[in-house]
Amino acid sequence: MTDASPAPTSRRARVRAPELIGKGGWLNTGGRQYTLADLRGRIVIVDFWTFCCINCLHVLDELRELEEKHRDTVVVIGVHSPKFVHEADHRAVVDAVERYGVEHPVLDDPELATWKQYAVRAWPTLVVIDPEGYVVAQHAGEGHVHAIERLVTELEAEHEAKGTLRRGDGPYVAPEPEPTALRFPGKAVLLPSGTFLVSDTTRHQLVELAADGESVVRRIGSGTRGFADGTADAAAFSEPQGLALLDDTSVVVADTVNHALRRVDLVSGAVTTLAGTGQQWWQGSATSGPAREIDLSSPWDVALFGGRVWIAMAGVHQLWTYDPAAGTVEAAAGTTNEGLVDAPAAEAWFAQPSGLAATADRLWLADSETSALRWVDLDGQVHTAVGTGLFDFGHRDGAAGQALFQHPLGVTALPDGSVAVSDTYNHALRRYDPATGEVTTLATDLREPSDAVLVGDDIVVVESARHRLTRLRLPEEAVRVEAVAHRTRREATEVAPGEVALDVIFQAPAGQKLDTRYGPSTRLLVSSTPPELLLSGEGAGTELSRTLELDPEVGEGVLHVSAMAASCDDDPANEYPACHVHQQDWGVPVLLTENGADRLPLVLAGLDA
C-alpha cells in the first residue's frame, strides 16, 4: 500500500507497517502490551536482534545516543528474533535485556512471526516507521545510525508541519534492580594470591572475590558505563569481559564495549589503557601499529600465547595480538568474513571468537557463532576440533566429527591435555580430549556458563545467568546426556534451481552519494555451504547484483553473501566529506524447488522496489 498524500521533498517510498506480534510478549513496559496503533504519532525504529549476535550488540550501543537525543519523538522497539534454541527461552531474553543494558521496549518473538511479516533476512536489521504507520527505510547490519538520524530529523520536520507528530515520554519502564554481588559476570582469572578477579559485566566493574568465590574483597571501576583511566574508584569500563594475568602484579582486561584493552595494577587497583582508541574498528581502518592508536572491535577474551596477548576480536571475527614489549597490536588470524574455514591464519574464517585458552603448543578458542571448538598451532595454522558451521548446533557427545555444542563462550585447558568447554546455551560444561577425539559432558544444570578456572582438583565455573561462581570437583566419569541436534530456527528460502538473480539493495542516505573517488565503492563476496551448491557466481566482485547458478542435484544449502558500500556527504564545497561504510554478512538457508523464486533480494540500505 502506498501513500496518496503529498510526498516530502526527498520522495520516500512508503509501505504500511505490519503489526508487531510475538508470543513471548513485551518487556521493559511495566507489563503493558503494545500495538503499532499505540505508537502512532511517534517515529518508530524497529530493531530486529538476537542476543548471541555481536553485530546486534554493536547496534544496541549505536542506538543509545540517538535514543537520548530524540527521546520525545522516537521510540525504539527491539524485536528479539532467536537464532539458537536457547534464545527462544523467555527467561533467557529477560536476562539478555538486562545483561546488555537495553533501555527501550522489547518484543519477545520466539516463533519469528514479526521477522517473517517484515521479510527480514539478517541480524541485525533496522526498520524505520513514520508517525503515520508506514515503513520508510530498512537497513541490514551495523553502522547505519548516522543515516537513520538524518532521516529522523527529516521526519520530525515533515510531520511537525503536517500535525501528525506526537511528542512526549516513551513507553520504556525500567525493571527493578536485583541486589546480587555479581550481575551477569563474564570471565574470571585466578590471581597469585589465591583470590579471583571477575568481570562484573553488566555493572561495568571488576570484582575481586576471596578464595571461597563468594566474599567480595574489593571492586575496581566506578560502576558507571564509561571509558576513563585512574584509581580503582574513578576508572570506568563498559561491559568488560576477558581477563588474563600479564605478570604477577597486573591483569589485562578485554573492555568489550569500549573496544579496548585495559591494564589493572593488582596492588593499587589503578587502571590504564594498553590498546584501542575507544572507537570501533571498521573496514579500511589500520590493522597494525602503536596499540593506543589502533581501533579494536569488541575484544571478548584474552590469553598469553607465544609471548604475546592474543585477543578474541569477536566484533570482526578475527584474532589479534598485543605485544607488551613493543606496545603494538596487529591482526593475527581471520579475514573478517564470518564462517568456519580452516586454513593458514591469514585465510581462516571465524565467527565471533569469544573464549581463549593457551597451552604450550596450542591456542584453543571457543568460536561461538559456529558452536565450534577450534585451535591455532605454533605455525599459525587454524584447525577445527568440533563444529561444522553457522547453522548446526545441539548437545551431542561422542566422536568429535559428529559432536555438537550450542554457542560456547569459554574454554579452559586441563592438566591432562584435554580442554573444558563452557557450553553456554546448553547450560553445560563439556570436555574434549585430543588424544581420543571424544567429547563428553562433565556437568549440567549450569545457567549460561561463560568461563571456567582450574583450581587444584576443582574447576570454578562462571555461571553468568545465576550471577555467581560455582565450584565443581572435576568428575572422573562423564554425565550421560540424551543427544539433541538442532538447526537454526530460520526457515529456508525457496529458490529455483538454475539461475537466480542476487540483488543487494543499497540506496545512499539522503545527502550522500557512493564514494567513487578511488575506484568502485561497492563489493560483493559470495560463497556457499556446501561449495557444490554454486555452479557459478561465487567469488568477489564490485557489482551488487549477480547471477548465481545453483545445482539442482545438491538441493539445499546456505548462501554466504557479504556486501559493502561506502557513501560520502554529497557537498562539492566540502574538500573532506564525511564518509561511512555500510557492511553486512548474510547466511541465507536455501531450498531448491521448481516453484521457487528466481530472484533473491537482500536489503543493505533502503527499500526493495
Side-chain angles (χ1 to χ4, degrees):
M1 181 175 180
T2 57
D3 180 45
S5 60
T9 305
S10 56
R11 294 199 64 83
R12 281 185 296 272
R14 303 205 307 170
V15 178
R16 177 64 73 181
E19 189 54 81
L20 302 175
I21 53 175
K23 191 174 181 180
W26 290 82
L27 305 174
N28 280 358
T29 62
R32 179 173 172 180
Q33 306 297 299
Y34 279 88
T35 66
L36 276 177
D38 298 323
L39 304 172
R40 196 61 49 82
R42 310 299 290 272
I43 300 164
V44 178
I45 300 172
V46 183
D47 175 18
F48 289 89
W49 70 298
T50 188
F51 64 80
C52 71
C53 162
I54 191 66
N55 310 92
C56 300
L57 303 187
H58 288 166
V59 166
L60 286 176
D61 201 50
E62 289 176 359
L63 287 171
R64 295 186 204 279
E65 186 175 343
L66 184 147
E67 289 181 85
E68 178 62 30
K69 186 175 179 181
H70 300 271
R71 62 167 52 249
D72 66 333
T73 59
V74 170
V75 175
V76 176
I77 301 292
V79 176
H80 189 269
S81 313
K83 171 186 174 181
F84 290 99
V85 167
H86 171 58
E87 293 173 319
D89 177 346
H90 182 70
R91 178 69 245 177
V93 180
V94 172
D95 286 346
V97 168
E98 181 188 350
R99 181 195 301 266
Y100 296 116
V102 180
E103 295 184 354
H104 53 246
V106 172
L107 176 63
D108 181 12
D109 183 18
E111 297 176 346
L112 302 181
T114 297
W115 166 287
K116 294 170 188 173
Q117 287 295 311
Y118 279 78
V120 175
R121 295 185 186 275
W123 296 279
T125 291
L126 294 168
V127 176
V128 182
I129 302 171
D130 73 12
E132 295 178 288
Y134 290 91
V135 173
V136 292
Q138 181 172 328
H139 300 267
E142 53 185 296
H144 299 290
V145 170
H146 70 282
I148 292 174
E149 179 159 16
R150 186 183 293 239
L151 175 57
V152 163
T153 302
E154 288 182 7
L155 290 170
E156 285 174 338
E158 175 188 337
H159 289 274
E160 190 91 78
K162 291 174 66 175
T164 49
L165 185 70
R166 177 169 57 89
R167 294 179 180 271
D169 293 335
Y172 170 67
V173 178
E176 288 294 322
E178 297 285 345
T180 54
L182 300 173
R183 204 70 193 159
F184 298 104
K187 306 285 185 181
V189 64
L190 182 66
L191 300 181
S193 62
T195 61
F196 299 93
L197 192 64
V198 185
S199 53
D200 196 17
T201 304
T202 298
R203 292 199 178 124
H204 315 297
Q205 288 182 317
L206 309 180
V207 179
E208 185 177 354
L209 298 178
D212 62 8
E214 297 180 9
S215 306
V216 175
V217 176
R218 61 174 168 171
R219 295 181 180 272
I220 299 172
S222 65
T224 300
R225 184 191 296 272
F227 187 19
D229 290 341
T231 63
D233 292 337
F237 300 95
S238 186
E239 298 181 31
Q241 287 282 349
L243 306 165
L245 281 170
L246 268 177
D247 50 49
D248 286 345
T249 63
S250 64
V251 166
V252 60
V253 182
D255 193 6
T256 304
V257 178
N258 278 329
H259 312 294
L261 295 189
R262 317 291 293 280
R263 176 187 179 274
V264 175
D265 184 297
L266 292 176
V267 177
S268 67
V271 177
T272 53
T273 298
L274 296 175
T277 64
Q279 301 299 310
Q280 185 183 337
W281 187 94
W282 288 100
Q283 289 289 347
S285 301
T287 55
S288 64
R292 291 290 303 272
E293 300 174 15
I294 304 297
D295 298 337
L296 308 181
S297 182
S298 297
W300 206 275
D301 203 5
V302 282
L304 267 70
F305 179 62
R308 293 177 291 168
V309 176
W310 284 69
I311 310 164
M313 202 73 79
V316 284
H317 318 299
Q318 289 182 308
L319 303 178
W320 285 42
T321 60
Y322 165 70
D323 186 333
T328 56
V329 292
E330 65 177 342
T335 64
T336 75
N337 293 112
E338 184 179 16
L340 192 155
V341 175
D342 289 343
E347 302 164 24
W349 290 25
F350 301 99
Q352 284 179 221
S354 301
L356 298 175
T359 63
D361 58 354
R362 294 186 181 188
L363 179 72
W364 292 97
L365 65 119
D367 206 26
S368 61
E369 278 295 289
T370 52
S371 297
L373 174 65
R374 306 177 72 187
W375 52 281
V376 183
D377 64 26
L378 293 172
D379 295 325
Q381 182 75 26
V382 177
H383 309 262
T384 298
V386 180
T388 59
L390 286 165
F391 294 93
D392 291 290
F393 55 91
H395 190 149
R396 188 162 63 197
D397 290 331
Q402 56 87 51
L404 294 171
F405 299 127
Q406 186 179 182
H407 197 79
L409 291 178
V411 59
T412 307
L414 300 179
D416 63 358
S418 66
V419 290
V421 177
S422 295
D423 193 6
T424 309
Y425 288 3
N426 280 329
H427 310 299
L429 189 68
R430 313 283 295 283
R431 177 177 179 263
Y432 168 70
D433 186 352
T436 63
E438 292 287 313
V439 174
T440 52
T441 296
L442 297 176
T444 57
D445 192 33
L446 299 166
R447 187 71 183 170
E448 293 194 23
S450 54
D451 195 18
V453 179
L454 196 65
V455 185
D457 292 331
D458 294 342
I459 191 162
V460 176
V461 180
V462 180
E463 266 198 284
S464 187
R466 282 200 179 111
H467 319 293
R468 70 187 189 191
L469 302 188
T470 298
R471 185 182 293 262
L472 305 171
R473 179 55 55 98
L474 274 174
E476 295 181 6
E477 294 186 8
V479 178
R480 293 187 62 84
V481 176
E482 185 177 349
V484 292
H486 303 287
R487 299 211 83 206
T488 179
R489 299 174 66 86
R490 293 171 59 190
E491 293 180 1
T493 298
E494 293 190 4
V495 296
E499 291 192 352
V500 172
L502 171 64
D503 290 328
V504 174
I505 290 93
F506 177 77
Q507 296 159 4
Q512 295 187 13
K513 65 178 180 179
L514 287 173
D515 178 19
T516 57
R517 291 172 296 167
Y518 309 107
S521 60
T522 56
R523 182 175 181 270
L524 181 64
L525 176 67
V526 180
S527 61
S528 67
T529 303
E532 297 77 22
L533 176 64
L534 274 173
L535 292 173
S536 65
E538 74 282 357
T542 58
E543 298 294 326
L544 292 181
S545 293
R546 186 180 302 181
T547 299
L548 310 180
E549 186 178 0
L550 307 180
D551 189 346
E553 297 299 320
V554 174
E556 63 179 328
V558 179
L559 291 174
H560 304 284
V561 181
S562 178
M564 185 274 288
S567 63
C568 294
D569 290 345
D570 188 11
D571 182 359
N574 187 354
E575 187 178 356
Y576 303 104
C579 296
H580 306 274
V581 174
H582 312 257
Q583 183 174 7
Q584 174 63 16
D585 294 336
W586 290 268
V588 184
V590 294
L591 179 66
L592 275 56
T593 63
E594 288 300 328
N595 296 321
D598 60 5
R599 177 176 178 264
L600 179 60
L602 300 175
V603 177
L604 179 60
L607 293 174
D608 180 20

